[in-house]
Structures are given as structure tokens and as C-alpha cells.
Amino acid sequence: MRILLSIAFAVLALSATAEDKPILITPTWLHDHLKDDDLVILHVSFLQYDFDLEHIEGAQYLWPENLAPNSPQGSYNAPDLKKATELLRSFGVNENSHIILYHVRNEVSPTARMFLTLENLGLQGKVSFLNGGFDVWKHESFPVTAARKMPKTGNVTLRQGDRLVDKNYVLKTLETTSGIVVDA
């Protein structure tokens, strides 16, 4: 699984421009930039309990299903654009925000999906992934807190992108000889 995520991040890195934020950041980089005005830190976890116990200062809790809802038709669906906009604005995301995602325990895959979802919503080059997640942050003895920060409402405008595909796209691609579908 980590190899597939590494490949996905490598592909995204190749498409990055000089103005983009780094895809992977270190705990030291994040610690040094915690007070940056444009920084929005999202603690990605299926359990809010983890966040309530401890998190990185200033982080907001992001339940993965808020941006990748499940349904009887499929898992990790693209979010409703209006609901996603409201959610990200409630986290304080603005047009110039630098969003940092981090995972807890082994929840790398859902956090990687949040990365792709945010990029698909028009935030390409504005999202970074904390290398090693919360465990490495704590291992390096950086501070944690249970205190919550209530951000000012953001003003981000999202748009539906083309980084995610649906069932119809996959079926159409399977019918051609020019397309390749990789089941990962």
C-alpha cells in the first residue's frame, strides 16, 4: 500500500509547478511554520476521539466521509461541492491557504484520499501531507494539545476537477484499446 501511495505522490509531484507547496513536509517544517497565517492543519481520522485526546496545535478534525462519502453505489464518492465548500470554509480555508493533512496510526490511505479530493476540488498545489503523520510528530517530541482553535470562516471557492473518475469513465475506458485501468 505504501508503494502505491508513493507512486501516486510521485506522479502528483511531477505535475507540480514552482509555485506549488511541497507535497510532503517534515514535522520540523510544520513545527517551524505553525504560526503562518495561511496555514490550515487537518487531522484526518475516522475517530474524533483521537482528535479530542490530542492533536497538533491549531488542527481541525476532518472525518474522511465528509469529503469522500460512502453510499450503496460506492465507497469514497466525490463530495457535494456545496457541502465541501461549507466544510472547508468552516476550517478557515481561504484562496491562499496552505492545507496540511496528517494521519493517525496507519490511516494513510484515507488521508491520501483527502489529498486527492482536495486537489480535485481546485486546490492543486495548496495541499501538503505530513510525512510520517501524527506518530512521527510525537516521536520527534513536538507538542500536542487537546485545546481546540476556532478559526475565522474562510472564503475558498471550490470547483469540480478531473482528478477523480466515476464508474462510467472506467467502463468506457475498458471498452477502448487506448485506455488503461489499474485496479489499485
Side-chain angles (χ1 to χ4, degrees):
M1 176 59 84
R2 288 188 181 185
I3 292 172
L4 292 175
L5 290 173
S6 296
I7 292 169
F9 283 126
V11 169
L12 289 171
L14 292 175
S15 65
T17 67
E19 298 173 31
D20 291 343
K21 305 296 184 192
I23 290 174
L24 288 175
I25 60 161
T26 65
T28 300
W29 184 97
L30 179 55
H31 181 262
D32 292 347
H33 290 85
L34 276 178
K35 302 298 183 195
D36 289 2
D37 290 336
D38 64 343
L39 202 67
V40 175
I41 306 168
L42 299 179
H43 175 112
V44 180
S45 176
F46 285 109
L47 297 173
Q48 185 170 345
Y49 175 77
D50 293 331
F51 176 81
D52 292 342
L53 283 178
E54 59 183 4
H55 53 268
I56 296 171
E57 178 186 352
Q60 304 296 314
Y61 172 70
L62 174 58
W63 183 49
E65 283 209 32
N66 281 337
L67 286 181
N70 292 318
S71 74
Q73 288 72 42
S75 297
Y76 284 140
N77 297 296
D80 174 80
L81 197 57
K82 183 179 178 186
K83 289 180 183 177
T85 300
E86 290 171 6
L87 177 68
L88 292 175
R89 285 179 177 177
S90 77
F91 291 149
V93 177
N94 292 307
E95 296 299 327
N96 65 335
S97 291
H98 180 188
I99 302 167
I100 309 298
L101 300 172
Y102 72 89
H103 65 282
V104 296
R105 290 179 307 283
N106 60 353
E107 293 183 5
V108 175
S109 184
T111 308
R113 177 52 192 255
M114 295 301 96
F115 182 96
L116 292 172
T117 298
L118 292 172
E119 290 246 325
N120 189 61
L121 292 172
L123 298 172
Q124 299 93 341
K126 297 179 180 186
V127 185
S128 297
F129 200 104
L130 179 60
N131 197 10
F134 194 49
D135 289 341
V136 172
W137 175 268
K138 291 192 306 184
H139 178 75
E140 294 189 14
S141 300
F142 288 121
V144 298
T145 185
R148 290 185 172 213
K149 174 187 169 191
M150 298 308 295
K152 293 180 185 176
T153 301
N155 64 9
V156 70
T157 301
L158 303 177
R159 63 185 185 286
Q160 200 62 47
D162 61 1
R163 293 190 185 256
L164 300 176
V165 298
D166 62 11
K167 175 184 79 171
N168 295 330
Y169 178 91
V170 173
L171 292 173
K172 183 178 177 183
T173 302
L174 288 171
E175 293 173 357
T176 69
T177 58
S178 61
I180 297 173
V181 174
V182 178
D183 183 2

